[in-house]
Amino acid sequence: PSETVLDLAAAPGGKTLHLAARMRLEGELAAVEPVRERFFKLKANLARCGAGDFVRTFTHDGRDIGRKTPGRFDAVLLAAPCSSEARFDARDPRTFAYWGPRKLAESSRKKKALLRSALDATRPGGRVLYCTCSLAPEENELVVVHTLKRLGAAEALEPVSPTLASDRPGVASWSGKALPQSVVDTVRVVPNDRFAGFYLALFRKL
């Protein structure tokens, strides 16, 4: 409550509604969704659940938000669009038929730009929660490492403690290369009978 918060990839609105509830409809909450059809679904869901007047919605490309509103937000949630490996179902080939190395590389590039934008939009002392529904290090730890290297001492990772039975630390190496020790403060949620695969990293703007 009383904070200025941004949901940077908001549709269809479940995350935004959860943020509104956590804020008790106090403060400022903005939601961004660039795809027009999904944007109107977001607005409809917010209105249906009573948060339509509280949440300000925008149909901008999230990669531009940091440049347009630098240092504005206390907290940013970036549940980034991803290659959706966590949704694979071996019983249904349609769920993974579209996936491939090109899709993975494209998704990784988009995530790096979105995360940079999220951090640029955050005030000093604020935080950014970066999360994906992918299991690929190219979309998770490697995006985090790229961002930390690029921004240097301007950002730091903080430990994430979801206290789930299926959570694991971020991977410390990939493709034969060691990653910075700080990535173990990020969290992988391993799929089980309750949860799909997930990844979380919490940044603090210094």
Side-chain angles (χ1 to χ4, degrees):
S2 80
E3 288 193 318
T4 301
V5 180
L6 170 65
D7 186 350
L8 191 53
K15 302 181 304 297
T16 314
L17 287 165
H18 185 67
L19 287 170
R22 295 275 293 179
M23 296 173 72
R24 299 199 293 268
L25 302 184
E26 299 173 15
E28 297 181 29
L29 177 57
V32 172
E33 173 53 50
V35 180
R36 190 170 180 82
E37 181 180 348
R38 289 170 58 82
F39 173 76
F40 287 113
K41 184 178 291 187
L42 165 69
K43 286 183 67 71
N45 284 333
L46 294 175
R48 178 172 56 86
C49 295
D53 292 335
F54 175 65
V55 182
R56 299 180 64 195
T57 54
F58 302 90
T59 92
H60 296 307
D61 187 326
R63 291 170 288 190
D64 292 334
I65 296 301
R67 178 177 55 82
K68 292 181 177 180
T69 59
R72 171 168 173 72
F73 297 95
D74 297 297
V76 178
L77 172 62
L78 173 57
C82 59
S83 62
S84 302
E85 290 176 326
R87 298 179 184 177
F88 287 3
D89 184 344
R91 299 163 296 183
D92 184 0
R94 292 174 298 178
T95 63
F96 51 85
Y98 69 91
W99 187 93
R102 181 178 296 179
K103 176 71 174 177
L104 192 60
E106 173 193 335
S107 183
S108 176
R109 286 193 299 271
K110 181 178 290 186
K111 285 179 169 60
K112 290 172 182 175
L114 283 168
L115 181 53
R116 174 63 185 266
S117 178
L119 289 163
D120 286 346
T122 306
R123 66 164 180 80
R127 64 251 187 237
V128 173
L129 181 62
Y130 171 73
C131 45
T132 82
C133 58
S134 172
L135 303 175
E138 291 88 347
E139 297 181 85
N140 297 331
E141 289 89 350
L142 298 188
V143 171
V144 168
V145 169
H146 168 87
T147 301
L148 290 173
K149 284 182 177 178
R150 183 167 183 178
L151 299 182
E155 324 292 340
L157 284 176
E158 295 194 348
V160 182
S161 303
T163 63
L164 302 171
S166 62
D167 66 282
R168 304 286 187 274
V171 298
S173 64
W174 185 245
S175 294
K177 294 182 179 180
L179 301 180
Q181 182 64 24
S182 59
V183 297
V184 300
D185 286 331
T186 67
V187 166
R188 288 173 161 263
V189 178
V190 179
N192 61 16
D193 59 344
R194 291 188 60 203
F195 296 104
F198 213 67
Y199 176 80
L200 306 100
L202 179 63
F203 289 80
R204 176 74 64 174
K205 183 82 168 280
L206 303 178

